[in-house]
Amino acid sequence: MKTYKIVYKPTIKPLFKLADPYDIYAFPMPEFTGYGTATGEREATVTAPNKQIAKSMLACSIMSEHLGAGYDSTPIIVQALQNIVSIEEVRE
């Protein structure tokens, strides 16, 4: 197994708002309102036998990051895979 460092540029991110920020007795629960634009690059390190499977492991990593958040993470995964900047094998 090889270790790969994947750099990608996310272009969308989930947006939230507080349900009722002025109610002092309510627990502040964020509500998903849609997707907004994101800037910058992100980096992920995955272990895989080749670069193609490393892309799949990146998708799994992004999915597990957004799992259970109450919105569909498919658009985030798709655009992250489309906007991969580099995949480099890390020598240890």
Side-chain angles (χ1 to χ4, degrees):
M1 297 293 259
K2 300 173 186 173
T3 303
Y4 292 97
K5 181 176 86 170
I6 303 174
V7 177
Y8 63 98
K9 282 187 168 183
T11 56
I12 62 173
K13 65 180 179 181
L15 297 176
F16 299 96
K17 70 172 185 171
L18 288 178
D20 189 5
Y22 300 108
D23 186 2
I24 61 172
Y25 299 108
F27 187 74
M29 295 295 293
E31 285 183 25
F32 175 70
T33 59
Y35 297 102
T37 58
T39 58
E41 293 183 346
R42 292 194 62 190
E43 183 179 301
T45 305
V46 296
T47 303
N50 58 37
K51 287 185 179 183
Q52 200 64 20
I53 295 177
K55 290 180 185 179
S56 300
M57 296 302 292
L58 173 65
C60 293
S61 171
I62 294 170
M63 182 190 69
S64 66
E65 180 182 328
H66 296 279
L67 195 64
Y71 55 89
D72 185 22
S73 62
T74 305
I76 297 171
I77 294 169
V78 169
Q79 66 83 30
L81 293 176
Q82 289 174 345
N83 297 324
I84 291 178
V85 175
S86 67
I87 300 176
E88 299 175 2
E89 185 177 344
V90 177
R91 304 270 186 216
E92 294 181 4

